[in-house]
Amino acid sequence: MDPSYALWIRVTCEFIGTAILIILGNGTVANVHLKGSKGYRGGWSLIAMGYGFGVMIPAVMFGGISGNHINPAFTLGLAAWGLFPWSNVPYYIAAQMLGAMAGQLAIVVTHKPYYDATTDPDDILATFSTVNAARSRLNGFANELLGSVILFSCALGIVHSPLTTTEPGLAHVVIGFLVWGLVAGLGGPTGPALNPARDLGPRIVHALLPLRHKGGSDWRYSWVPVAAPILGGLLGVGGWKLLLG
């Protein structure tokens, strides 16, 4: 983050960056899960790549401006350990949530014919938010927690590595590959979300929109991809700071 930029500029970058994450990430899921799409049934590798680039592109664009948190759990973890001002937290989280919802609305608008052609409510919900494959909140929490700890601790390690401190752009690219690998390696059980805004924002959009065949929004599970990444942010950022910060 560069504090020389006005707060409204940094907050706008968080909004746009989170929207890009959803458009590329959930857009890839829509491409794979919605009938009639040219990528229909394209597989999990395609989805992992979509989320990797969904983080990488805004990181390169905005990492030097807002820090490219695009994730309330990361913002809270940094603030809790004294690495980000608490006064900025509400603005960042609001921008991240609104950006996620705006990105999801863009996907619905551009994919509306394919939503109409898809009759499986699980396929529709998958393009918005996560669900545990075993229908287990405990398993989902464990998976989201592990992935979040790895994401936040490794992201900080990459940014502050002696190999990338003189080339910050390289760090932002590598973080995209980190997310790509995490979604490929830990995506089977939950998705994964690793980000409260990425799951909750689109889930709210799912609940509000009158889509055909959409089914329920699975609110019984919705707390898992919010609480687990937040705890993962506290542990991941704290672990990195205690060891190397």
Side-chain angles (χ1 to χ4, degrees):
M1 180 190 76
D2 186 345
S4 67
Y5 287 93
L7 178 59
W8 74 267
I9 294 177
R10 289 183 275 127
V11 167
T12 301
C13 290
E14 286 295 302
F15 174 89
I16 296 171
T18 311
I20 291 172
L21 164 63
I22 298 300
I23 290 169
L24 296 185
N26 285 14
T28 306
V29 178
N31 197 23
V32 169
H33 280 266
L34 299 181
K35 289 184 179 179
S37 166
K38 292 183 180 294
Y40 185 55
R41 300 307 185 210
W44 190 252
S45 296
L46 186 63
I47 292 173
M49 181 173 64
Y51 283 113
F53 282 108
V55 170
M56 183 189 300
I57 300 303
V60 173
M61 293 171 64
F62 304 129
I65 301 173
S66 70
N68 193 58
H69 296 184
I70 61 173
N71 187 331
F74 192 40
T75 299
L76 288 169
L78 291 172
W81 288 94
L83 301 174
F84 186 74
W86 277 107
S87 60
N88 290 354
V89 169
Y91 302 102
Y92 265 54
I93 292 180
Q96 292 155 2
M97 286 293 298
L98 291 173
M101 296 174 74
Q104 188 64 50
L105 283 170
I107 293 301
V108 173
V109 169
T110 55
H111 290 69
K112 185 60 165 58
Y114 314 106
Y115 277 108
D116 291 342
T118 302
T119 57
D120 186 341
D122 288 341
D123 277 333
I124 293 173
L125 181 59
T127 69
F128 288 81
S129 54
T130 63
V131 63
N132 181 256
R135 305 292 176 176
S136 166
R137 282 169 286 181
L138 178 60
N139 179 253
F141 192 94
N143 189 72
E144 291 287 344
L145 179 60
L146 174 62
S148 297
V149 170
I150 293 172
L151 171 61
F152 301 131
S153 59
C154 289
L156 286 171
I158 290 167
V159 169
H160 293 89
S161 168
L163 297 177
T164 60
T165 49
T166 58
E167 296 289 343
L170 174 61
H172 300 316
V173 171
V174 174
I175 288 172
F177 282 101
L178 169 64
V179 173
W180 187 344
L182 280 171
V183 178
L186 294 175
T190 63
L194 311 176
N195 183 336
R198 169 262 178 273
D199 190 279
L200 182 58
R203 196 183 296 269
I204 293 172
V205 173
H206 179 272
L208 294 176
L209 290 182
L211 293 172
R212 299 178 190 174
H213 317 297
K214 74 171 187 176
S217 301
D218 196 14
W219 288 108
R220 291 181 68 252
Y221 183 76
S222 64
W223 65 272
V224 172
V226 173
I230 290 175
L231 179 58
L234 295 173
L235 295 175
V237 174
W240 173 84
K241 184 177 181 183
L242 291 173
L243 181 63
L244 296 171

